[in-house]
Amino acid sequence: MDIDLIFKIAAIGIVVAILNQLLQRSGREEQAMMTTIAGLVVVLMMIVTEISKLFDTIKNVFNL
């Protein structure tokens, strides 16, 4: 796992948090929630690909 992945996830979290605060202060709570959900989905997709790579590595190590 690269340190770049951690930085990408942190950057997405910071951007989503800022957008969330801006949208909530302007009275757009629904859009703020959608932004948060979109950020969560993006991060989960990044993690799923890394977990897939982990399982492939485990299969190769144990010759499954």
Side-chain angles (χ1 to χ4, degrees):
M1 182 169 87
D2 287 334
I3 193 81
D4 293 338
L5 179 66
I6 295 171
F7 287 142
K8 286 179 186 178
I9 291 172
I12 291 170
I14 291 169
V15 169
V16 167
I18 291 170
L19 286 174
N20 192 5
Q21 289 297 319
L22 287 173
L23 289 170
Q24 282 184 348
R25 299 224 189 256
S26 66
R28 299 178 178 170
E29 286 81 16
E30 294 87 12
Q31 291 176 346
M33 181 63 71
M34 292 303 292
T35 303
T36 304
I37 292 171
L40 180 65
V41 168
V42 169
V43 170
L44 284 176
M45 292 303 293
M46 292 169 61
I47 292 174
V48 164
T49 58
E50 291 299 317
I51 291 173
S52 173
K53 290 178 188 177
L54 173 67
F55 285 141
D56 289 339
T57 304
I58 290 172
K59 282 172 43 176
N60 288 335
V61 166
F62 293 112
N63 295 324
L64 297 176

